[in-house]
Amino acid sequence: MKSAALSALLSSTLSYASPLHLNLFRPATAVLCRSLLPTSTPNPFHTQLRTAKISASMSSSFKPEQARVPPAIPPPTPPLSKFKIGMCQLSVTADKERNIAHARKAIEEAAEKGAQLVLLPEIWNSPYSNDSFPVYAEDIDAGGDASPSTAMLSEVSHALKITIVGGSIPERCGDKLYNTCCVFGSDGKLKAKHRKIHLFDINIPGKITFMESKTLTAGGSPTIVDTEVGRIGIGICYDIRFSELAMLYAARGAHLICYPGAFNMTTGPLHWELLQRARAADNQLYVATCSPARDAGAGYVAWGHSTLVGPFGEVLATTEHEEAIIISEIDYSLIELRRTNLPLLNQRRGDLYQLVDVQRLDSQ
């Protein structure tokens, strides 16, 4: 009876009401509707279930799983959910032996402060210049005396039982030179080697011109490595400008991307923090960067400001341009939290766009 009465009243009201009349009648109609409808409270579970079904239906039609080719890999359960990272912003001189000893001391200090992962800057054993790269380059594959920088990293990682993302050094391989990052596990063994993929070739008239390609060769592979502190993607400096690389690492299940880098006094103030926060927020993971300390008298002046960014794009720790060791905590549970808060993985439009991981696709 109540339902019939409501229908009759609404029909008679709407049959002659103008738009103005409708506005006037809405409050009274709403009150009458509430008085005539059943008073039982809706089951919140049923409401959530209906919402989930609608969301799932929309998600299915948008084909989010097809936005990554091959499909994205969920991050593995990390060996540690919480740990401390140390970022060593080091001064770099023309004295290679001093640079190596100085880096070792900084790593030891970071470990003393509780860091289980230590990150070094880009080109920490050499001045940053095309003239210096061939002189300071090391044969990493040969190791030992042919690569004193990586020999130190291997020794200290094993001695301190920590993971080291060893910034980068100039690498010589045959007749080619690379800008190379080495990752060492707590057993002192080389776990991965990343050669800078995107070379720093820029020309901003009146500001800065640099052409890494004059001496260096571009690397040919992304690098992601499982370590004692989680799955880490590696990029070097200019690599951070290319969002596709970070997206690829996220699709391969990375918890953290490390970018040793040396932005300059032109692009640093504008882009350094911006790019870090963008890579972290877009992919909902951690991003850590480490720069050399600033030397105003050097041929290439670094911006500094080594930083850790969380999966919500928030700056968790940073510094200015002087030498510093930044210690901060990484909590991987925040990755799942932020991906639940903003379920981007299930909202991508695979019906409109795709990111293709060429290496993974070719290996299938």
Side-chain angles (χ1 to χ4, degrees):
M1 289 297 293
K2 287 184 178 181
S3 178
L6 175 62
S7 298
L9 176 62
L10 291 175
S11 296
S12 63
T13 300
L14 296 176
S15 64
Y16 68 84
S18 67
L20 176 59
H21 292 143
L22 285 175
N23 287 332
L24 294 173
F25 277 111
R26 276 175 185 154
T29 304
V31 172
L32 184 59
C33 287
R34 286 196 292 271
S35 67
L36 294 176
L37 289 174
T39 57
S40 60
T41 303
N43 188 323
F45 173 75
H46 292 162
T47 303
Q48 293 173 6
L49 187 61
R50 285 195 297 272
T51 303
K53 286 181 178 178
I54 294 171
S55 178
S57 176
M58 291 177 61
S59 179
S60 176
S61 65
F62 293 159
K63 302 178 182 179
E65 73 284 352
Q66 295 183 21
R68 299 293 181 262
V69 181
I73 300 169
T77 301
L80 297 172
S81 60
K82 285 185 181 181
F83 64 92
K84 289 183 178 179
I85 181 173
M87 294 159 285
C88 301
Q89 184 164 291
L90 305 174
S91 63
V92 178
T93 71
D95 185 339
K96 186 175 183 180
E97 288 187 7
R98 176 267 177 201
N99 293 338
I100 294 173
H102 191 59
R104 178 172 189 140
K105 183 178 179 182
I107 294 168
E108 291 171 343
E109 184 177 339
E112 287 175 5
K113 293 179 178 179
Q116 291 173 274
L117 170 64
V118 175
L119 176 60
L120 295 184
E122 180 183 25
I123 307 294
W124 57 266
N125 72 342
S126 160
Y128 190 88
S129 72
N130 280 314
D131 290 338
S132 298
F133 296 152
V135 177
Y136 290 75
E138 300 180 6
D139 186 341
I140 295 172
D141 292 339
D145 292 340
S147 184
S149 300
T150 59
M152 179 275 289
L153 296 178
S154 173
E155 182 182 337
V156 74
S157 62
H158 181 254
L160 300 175
K161 304 300 180 189
I162 60 172
T163 299
I164 297 177
V165 176
S168 77
I169 65 170
E171 177 196 10
R172 184 181 301 281
C173 185
D175 61 352
K176 294 181 178 179
L177 297 176
Y178 299 93
N179 186 341
T180 301
C181 175
C182 293
V183 180
F184 289 89
S186 60
D187 57 1
K189 293 182 179 179
L190 179 65
K191 298 184 73 70
K193 184 170 70 171
H194 176 78
R195 290 168 171 165
K196 189 173 186 176
I197 294 174
H198 305 94
L199 295 183
F200 180 56
D201 286 4
I202 71 165
N203 179 27
I204 304 175
K207 297 290 186 178
I208 181 171
T209 298
F210 201 99
M211 302 292 288
E212 276 190 329
S213 61
K214 285 184 176 181
T215 54
L216 302 178
T217 299
S221 178
T223 305
I224 191 163
V225 55
D226 287 317
T227 74
E228 294 88 341
V229 291
R231 182 168 289 179
I232 302 176
I234 305 295
I236 299 174
C237 200
Y238 206 55
D239 285 339
I240 199 173
R241 289 192 176 275
F242 299 87
S243 58
E244 298 87 348
L245 180 61
M247 292 160 64
L248 185 150
Y249 286 150
R252 291 188 183 189
H255 301 103
L256 163 70
I257 306 177
C258 289
Y259 293 100
F263 269 45
N264 55 75
M265 298 299 293
T266 299
T267 60
L270 290 171
H271 301 152
W272 179 239
E273 182 181 302
L274 171 71
L275 289 167
Q276 295 173 63
R277 297 183 68 186
R279 299 296 86 85
D282 285 350
N283 298 288
Q284 299 176 307
L285 42 63
Y286 281 87
V287 167
T289 63
C290 192
S291 168
R294 188 181 305 169
D295 177 359
Y300 181 94
V301 182
W303 171 241
H305 294 79
S306 302
T307 302
L308 176 68
V309 180
F312 218 39
E314 72 277 32
V315 173
L316 298 174
T318 190
T319 188
E320 294 296 326
H321 61 270
E322 301 91 352
E323 274 206 313
I325 297 174
I326 308 101
I327 305 292
S328 189
E329 183 176 76
I330 286 178
D331 181 354
Y332 286 145
S333 69
L334 293 180
I335 294 176
E336 182 60 31
L337 173 64
R338 296 315 184 190
R339 292 180 180 184
T340 301
N341 297 154
L342 295 175
L344 305 183
L345 181 66
N346 299 321
Q347 296 172 332
R348 294 192 178 110
R349 294 293 300 269
D351 59 327
L352 299 179
Y353 51 76
Q354 293 179 324
L355 173 74
V356 179
D357 187 334
V358 176
Q359 280 191 338
R360 283 183 61 209
L361 194 63
D362 288 348
S363 67
Q364 291 184 343

